[in-house]
Amino acid sequence: MWLAPLGIVCLIAGNLLELDDLSDAVTVLVMYVVTILSGMAVHTIFTMPLLFFFFTRRNPLIVVKGMTQALVTGFGTASG
């Protein structure tokens, strides 16, 4: 287990060295990250509040306002 990170780095480095154009791989990875972050934003901003409203008939903004302190504490202490 101690050598697993080194092995993973070597596997990734080997694959990167086989690429002809590194900028193509970076472009694909950036688009992947943008796609994932966009999906998470849509889910957080639209889907979850709509589901919350549909099931409880309460304003989701009031609940989010109540969670603000816990979210700030969680991000500030890097805990889940």
Side-chain angles (χ1 to χ4, degrees), residues 6-26 29:
L6 179 63
I8 292 170
V9 168
C10 289
L11 287 172
I12 293 171
N15 285 334
L16 288 176
L17 291 174
E18 291 177 0
L19 294 175
D20 293 331
D21 191 11
L22 187 61
S23 65
D24 288 340
V26 170
L29 288 174

Side-chain angles (χ1 to χ4, degrees), residues 3 5 13-14 21 32 37 43 51-52 60 64-65 78:
L3 296 178
D21 191 11
Y32 175 74
L37 291 177
H43 183 69
L51 284 173
F52 180 80
V64 170
K65 184 179 176 186

Side-chain angles (χ1 to χ4, degrees), residues 22-43:
L22 187 61
S23 65
D24 288 340
V26 170
T27 303
V28 170
L29 288 174
V30 167
M31 288 305 297
Y32 175 74
V33 169
V34 168
T35 302
I36 296 300
L37 291 177
S38 299
M40 287 181 173
V42 167
H43 183 69

